[in-house]
Amino acid sequence: MSHGSLPPSFRSLERFNAWALAKEGDRIRKRRASTMEELRELYDALMPQMEAIVAYLDQFSPAHLPEDAQRLLWLALSFVEVTSAVELYGQPEVRNGLDDPTRFRPVE
Amino acid sequence: MKTDMSDKRWAKVYPELGTGPVPAEPYISPEYFALERERVFRRVWLNMGRVEEIPQPGDYLVRDLAVCNASIVLIRGDDGVVRGFHNVCSHRGNKVVLDERGSCRGYLTCNFHSWAYDSQGQLKWVSDEENFFDLKKSELGLTPVATDVWEGFIFVNLDPQPRESLSTYLDGVTGQLAGAGFERLALAHVYRVDERANWKIALDAQNEVYHLPFQHRASFPDVFVLKDNRYTRLLDVRFFRRHSVYSCELNPSHTVTASEELVARLDTAATRCRLPLIGDFDFYAIFPNFVILLFRGAANDFFMTYNFWPLAVDRTVWEIKIYFPPAETAGQRIGQEYAKCRLRNVLQEDAAAHETIHAGLASRAKTHVLFQDNEIQIRHFHKVLADQVGVFQEG
């Protein structure tokens, strides 16, 4: 699912294709498995593109996104996923969280 | 700002709740837990979920209640009514439904000998029936459990003869949230965490905001109004017999991160969903183990629920559900994801605290715990619990 292309106007973000993940659990795992440098790279690249991304996605009904637009949404959700790590924690996981953070699990 | 910042305000409003220390033993005592099983969880109304989880006739949902040693099947009958039954076959006691949810085509069938019950719990088929003795199928339906629905929330009461109706039990909560329209929002996310903590430690830790500037100093230090920019104050606290609600007002000058500012700007959805909030955040503790949390959003409100399910005196499953209005725009969808991630992170910090608190109390280093004025709703909960359990408690 993560290997397809993005809409033409967002091809510059295709280096982050591995972040275009449909499931929250996968986005959480990807965040935990990343270095802060990798999280900051995603954050820095997506932050200035988010308005354009939302404008692009809003051409479609949320329930009927074309495949490449769907991947773009997933990528935007990964941006959301990493914001707290970059802006608040300075580490991929919350501070003072569970010994094993995977115990707090989304039921999907 | 509407919040009164004065100290020791709520103790004056509710003097009957006292101000003294509260015993720690109920958090860690296996004997007390045994009493809670019998006198609380087997006697009061317990939330199981929402009606939207079983929308069609024949849809069912199974909840295993370890605290009551019971498995309950909730099923929407072909007449549209939601009923609850013990998930136990009338033949020899096997569990009838083995999966967590599903939809049956007319019958729930026991794996063991293929006895089949209809969507209203009536026994309809017995294999090799002629070889039984004096079998009266009409008297051998699934054992019903008192089941009722309030504002779309399904509750059961395991007492064979409940002492009061759900509506009487919920008291003033029904008026406060009458016509809230929860069905306009959809279940968007579910989390479960199996904690090494007593269920009351988990609930109590959520049932106050005093801890926010400290436990959540990195995540959520100043989201609500603060006295002298340091300490939380409640906008309101109300009690409805066994239940409570506390409310907070958002801090208009809270620290805003770059992403928060961006996401707020992206969410341009029209206002379609308002909930009957008292403040900007309302926390309803529905005795004993159910919580409804209402959140004011800039354009659209949303809500969450918690169910704290005891497995043992020192083990609890904390079940968290987030309900959002259906997103109409990408910006709204991203705003919901953002709210969810921020909340989820905070709750993971809380889960860690539940366990360290339990470990501390289990050491018996302290015989009592203390509650300040912002924690009066926890004091109320413990008084209600002590009354229900029937064991005298200071306070």
Side-chain angles (χ1 to χ4, degrees), chain B residues 47-50 53-54 58-66 69-76 82-88 94-104 108-109 142 145 154 156 192 309 319 321:
Chain B
N47 170 255
M48 300 281 105
R50 284 194 55 81
E53 294 176 71
I54 44 173
D59 290 354
Y60 62 84
L61 175 68
V62 172
R63 302 305 307 250
D64 288 334
L65 305 187
N69 291 321
S71 173
I72 305 297
V73 56
L74 299 161
I75 181 164
R76 189 180 287 274
V82 173
R83 295 180 179 83
F85 301 98
H86 282 281
N87 186 15
V88 177
N94 191 31
K95 203 170 180 178
V96 177
V97 184
L98 299 175
D99 46 358
E100 197 181 328
R101 64 184 63 237
S103 184
C104 72
L108 297 173
T109 305
L142 294 171
V145 174
I154 307 171
V156 301
R192 270 187 210 133
W309 292 115
E319 191 171 52
K321 295 178 179 171

Side-chain angles (χ1 to χ4, degrees), chain A residues 24 27-28 31-32 43 47 50-51 53-54 57-58 62 73 76-77 79-81 83-84 87-89 93-99 101 103-108, chain B residues 189-196 215 217-219 257-259 262 265-266 320 327-331 333-334 337-338 340-342 344-345 347-349 351-352 355:
Chain A
E24 178 183 14
R27 295 193 293 270
I28 293 173
R31 166 173 55 76
R32 284 180 184 144
Y43 176 92
M47 178 68 97
M50 286 297 287
E51 291 197 79
I53 289 173
V54 164
L57 294 175
D58 275 340
L73 173 63
L77 298 184
F79 162 77
V80 171
E81 178 64 45
T83 51
S84 288
E87 294 174 337
L88 301 174
Y89 305 136
E93 192 45 84
V94 302
R95 294 194 171 275
N96 307 315
L98 289 164
D99 48 359
R103 291 171 51 213
F104 193 105
R105 59 183 182 87
V107 180
E108 294 184 290
Chain B
H189 305 283
V190 180
Y191 302 92
R192 270 187 210 133
V193 52
D194 186 340
E195 300 186 347
R196 298 183 289 264
Q215 175 75 17
R217 64 183 73 80
S219 299
T257 62
S259 63
L262 167 74
R265 198 151 34 83
L266 295 178
I320 299 157
E328 295 179 357
T329 64
R333 171 73 183 85
I334 285 163
E337 185 76 8
Y338 191 81
K340 174 198 76 178
C341 286
R342 292 291 295 269
R344 183 199 69 204
N345 292 341
L347 300 186
Q348 206 224 112
E349 294 173 342
E355 297 196 340

Side-chain angles (χ1 to χ4, degrees), chain A residues 17-31:
Chain A
N17 270 0
W19 283 98
L21 297 164
K23 292 193 165 180
E24 178 183 14
D26 291 333
R27 295 193 293 270
I28 293 173
R29 269 187 287 280
K30 178 84 176 148
R31 166 173 55 76

